[in-house]
Amino acid sequence: MTLVFNQKLAPKIPAISFVTVLGAECGFYRRLRSRLGAPKAITATAHKLARLFYQIWATTGQYLDPDIDYYQQKYQEQVLKSLRNKANALGLELVPISPSTLNTSSSLNHAT
């Protein structure tokens, strides 16, 4: 029996393992998988892991892994920035809703 080593698949093996792991890179993989599909998400995650590996290697192991909460906060900021840009392109402005406004509007809805 001959063991065949697939050179194209080898860099993607660590990325495939992100299906069940928690962490910032896992969130990256899951977001890309929902948008692009599994094969492209695996390839993109493999590229990101290769860049992280090079960063660790070049800085002699000085790398701090951000947790999933940091990644989610960064992603929410990115989505909000995108919404602001889209609103500005349409000549609109995003205005944050205060908690007191939410309570007032909900009580008005129940009164009518």
Side-chain angles (χ1 to χ4, degrees):
M1 177 178 194
T2 305
L3 182 63
V4 178
F5 184 72
N6 188 343
Q7 292 178 346
K8 291 183 180 181
L9 184 61
K12 297 179 184 181
I13 290 173
I16 294 170
S17 68
F18 273 117
V19 174
T20 59
V21 177
L22 294 177
E25 286 77 21
C26 181
F28 173 79
Y29 166 75
R30 288 182 180 156
R31 185 170 58 92
L32 285 181
R33 184 183 64 192
S34 68
R35 192 177 59 195
L36 301 174
K40 288 185 180 183
I42 290 171
T43 302
T45 306
H47 283 267
K48 185 171 185 172
L49 286 175
R51 289 190 301 270
L52 285 175
F53 175 78
Y54 179 77
Q55 178 187 3
I56 292 170
W57 180 64
T59 60
T60 62
Q62 299 173 357
Y63 174 72
L64 179 62
D65 186 24
D67 61 348
I68 191 74
D69 296 328
Y70 170 78
Y71 179 77
Q72 289 296 334
Q73 178 185 2
K74 186 177 171 184
Y75 178 65
Q76 289 295 334
E77 291 171 1
Q78 180 182 355
V79 168
L80 187 59
K81 182 180 177 184
S82 175
L83 282 174
R84 279 193 191 118
N85 290 339
K86 289 177 183 179
N88 287 340
L90 294 171
L92 303 172
E93 181 181 347
L94 292 181
V95 179
I97 298 174
S98 66
S100 61
T101 308
L102 287 176
N103 292 338
T104 307
S105 64
S106 63
S107 63
L108 290 177
N109 290 337
H110 294 295
T112 57

